Amino acid sequence: MSAWLAYLVHFLGTAAAVFFISWRRRRGLGDRLSAAEGTAAAVIAGLLLFLTSGPLFIDFIKAYHHAGRAIVTAPATLYDCTRAQCFVNIPIVALLFTPFAAFDPLTGAVLFTAAGLVALGAALRRLTLGAPAEAVWWLVLLSGPLYYSVRLGNVTHFLLVLFIAAFAAVARGRDPSAGMLLAAAALIKPPMAIFLPYLLLRRRFGAALWMGASAGAAVAVSIGLFGLALHRYWFHEFVIVHGSEALGAYNVQSAGGFLAHLLTRGHLNDWYPIQVGGPFHLLRAVMVAAILGAVAEACRRARRPRSDEAWEAELSIVLAAGILVAPIAWTHYYALLIVPIAGFLAGRLPLAERARPLLALAVWLISLPVVMFGLQGRLANALYERILVSHFFAGGVLILALLIAARLAIASHDREAHAARLAG
């Protein structure tokens, strides 16, 4: 029942967004929220946070709070998974949570959440620059994956402002800051290491060097402080084992998660690797190759970016692809796609008129509340478990396709402008 209620609140929130955005534009209002808007936003946000799946602060309390304390008291217990949630980053990352671990778990979680909201506010401020502020407000307000990250006490929403700053740094040629920011993203969310080969292929050697050196230095210091054995355990357990097997949990939304949902049943609440045969691994490899191949071909056809908008489009493509092909992409990763969606809303990323409904569909698919249904009827339940539960992945694929189209449109425009300058 709570899942249907969450969908109802999201639907009412979407209706409120359409009403208030239209009302604002008709009246030519500024950026200040009216009392009615503020009240509606607060009620919707509170209900969506309450109705989102997952125990409150479980990622922080079970993983991050434990890690922040263990890393300075008993590093050998850092990856103790008997508490249901595991810390999955390299040891040195745990030091980020040590200040919060100085408090009891609940107080630490509240302080961590407050810090996350500050980071989210900074991201929101950057996202609304040059964009219709009211549309971005509601985009963020209705993001189910964002509520999921905040509710669990995860770090994904912290990365929004990091990626915004990193993309700007790459576009403007600030290689040191770009490389260090992307290295930090990769250390916190390892699938984001995809930016390193991208920078190399685009011959952004300065940014790639700073990214590789920053990440390498962090790993070297981590090994020096906490020993090689702990890092070997981390690599085997969380890269080799969890990265190579299938997870069928409802909140796994990568290509592998989609196939695990499609080919198996009864694992939507199972967060441990499940046994699958060779066809699964072959199909996953084909899907990953197809996604990366499409990205590589688009970048080849577009050639090297010549403008800030071109860099933003390509970096957004890499971000979306990194989520889709990650061995494990949790649902809250899709909150990061707020960055390229805001680019579409601002007009920096071109969108054909006929593609607007596709963008609306993609935003809807990746913004729905993170909940799990138990449908009545064998056929309906099978349809949900195998296909419908993967709607975040489907929305991500659609966003990627729209980003590729935007990149090619920018490339075409840049070539025409270059030709016109030569002719003039």
Side-chain angles (χ1 to χ4, degrees):
M1 184 63 183
S2 62
W4 288 112
L5 185 56
Y7 267 48
L8 175 61
V9 172
H10 192 272
F11 171 78
L12 293 175
T14 303
V18 172
F19 170 78
F20 282 120
I21 290 172
S22 301
W23 176 69
R24 277 182 159 277
R25 291 179 179 176
R26 285 197 307 270
R27 298 197 170 212
L29 299 178
D31 290 345
R32 291 191 62 180
L33 286 174
S34 67
E37 287 175 293
T39 301
V43 171
I44 291 166
L47 288 173
L48 287 176
L49 185 61
F50 176 75
L51 293 169
T52 295
S53 291
L56 189 63
F57 301 142
I58 187 172
D59 283 1
F60 177 83
I61 292 173
K62 298 292 187 179
Y64 300 141
H65 187 272
H66 163 77
R69 180 167 294 177
I71 199 64
V72 294
T73 58
T77 67
L78 181 63
Y79 300 115
D80 174 15
C81 294
T82 59
R83 297 155 291 98
Q85 301 291 105
C86 296
F87 182 71
V88 298
N89 297 98
I90 64 170
I92 197 171
V93 176
L95 291 174
L96 295 174
F97 307 100
T98 298
F100 301 100
F103 302 91
D104 65 88
L106 182 57
T107 302
V110 171
L111 293 173
F112 180 78
T113 300
L117 294 177
V118 170
L120 181 58
L124 184 57
R125 184 174 181 180
R126 293 287 296 271
L127 289 170
T128 54
L129 294 176
E134 66 277 7
V136 176
W137 291 338
W138 286 100
L139 171 67
V140 171
L141 185 72
L142 294 172
S143 174
L146 188 60
Y147 287 102
Y148 191 50
S149 182
V150 173
R151 180 179 175 85
L152 297 185
N154 205 278
V155 297
T156 298
H157 53 289
F158 282 84
L159 299 186
L160 279 167
V161 70
L162 188 152
F163 276 116
I164 294 167
F167 287 9
V170 172
R172 294 164 191 172
R174 298 197 297 263
D175 286 351
S177 56
M180 288 187 286
L181 288 167
L182 291 174
L187 289 169
I188 295 170
K189 298 295 182 187
M192 295 302 102
I194 191 174
F195 283 98
L196 182 57
Y198 165 76
L199 292 172
L200 290 171
L201 290 172
R202 272 301 184 216
R203 298 180 180 275
R204 290 296 300 270
F205 297 126
L209 177 62
W210 276 98
M211 182 180 178
S214 299
V219 172
V221 172
S222 187
I223 292 173
L225 290 175
F226 306 110
L228 187 58
L230 202 57
H231 291 76
R232 283 177 177 165
Y233 179 87
W234 169 82
F235 186 78
H236 177 268
E237 186 69 17
F238 300 108
V239 177
I240 302 299
V241 175
H242 283 77
S244 62
E245 296 299 332
L247 264 72
Y250 75 97
N251 56 345
V252 177
Q253 293 285 330
S254 57
F258 166 74
L259 288 173
H261 299 153
L262 184 65
L263 301 177
T264 68
R265 287 195 66 189
H267 295 286
L268 294 187
N269 282 307
D270 188 352
W271 287 273
Y272 293 93
I274 56 178
Q275 294 298 315
V276 291
F280 170 87
H281 296 290
L282 177 61
L283 285 172
R284 181 166 66 174
V286 169
M287 287 187 69
V288 168
I291 292 169
L292 295 179
V295 170
E297 175 61 15
C299 291
R300 185 193 69 80
R301 289 177 57 189
R303 300 182 182 178
R304 184 182 174 87
R306 298 180 179 181
S307 63
D308 287 0
E309 292 78 12
W311 281 113
E312 181 179 0
E314 276 202 4
L315 292 164
S316 296
I317 287 171
V318 177
L319 173 62
I323 295 171
L324 296 174
V325 305
I328 303 173
W330 303 106
T331 311
H332 44 77
Y333 286 16
Y334 284 80
L336 299 174
L337 295 184
I338 288 173
V339 176
I341 294 170
F344 281 120
L345 295 177
R348 295 188 302 273
L349 304 181
L351 185 69
E353 189 69 30
R354 64 180 180 275
R356 291 180 182 274
L358 295 178
L359 178 62
L361 174 61
V363 171
W364 179 71
L365 288 172
I366 68 170
S367 297
L368 288 170
V370 182
V371 293
M372 192 176 72
F373 289 92
L375 299 180
Q376 297 297 318
R378 184 176 179 181
L379 180 60
N381 199 50
L383 180 64
Y384 172 74
E385 285 195 27
R386 291 186 183 274
I387 298 176
L388 298 181
V389 73
S390 298
H391 61 83
F392 291 101
F393 175 74
V397 171
L398 189 50
I399 288 286
L400 178 62
L402 292 171
L403 287 169
I404 288 174
R407 177 66 188 101
L408 295 176
I410 292 171
S412 177
H413 177 270
D414 287 349
R415 282 194 290 268
E416 290 174 359
H418 182 66
R421 285 194 296 271
L422 291 178

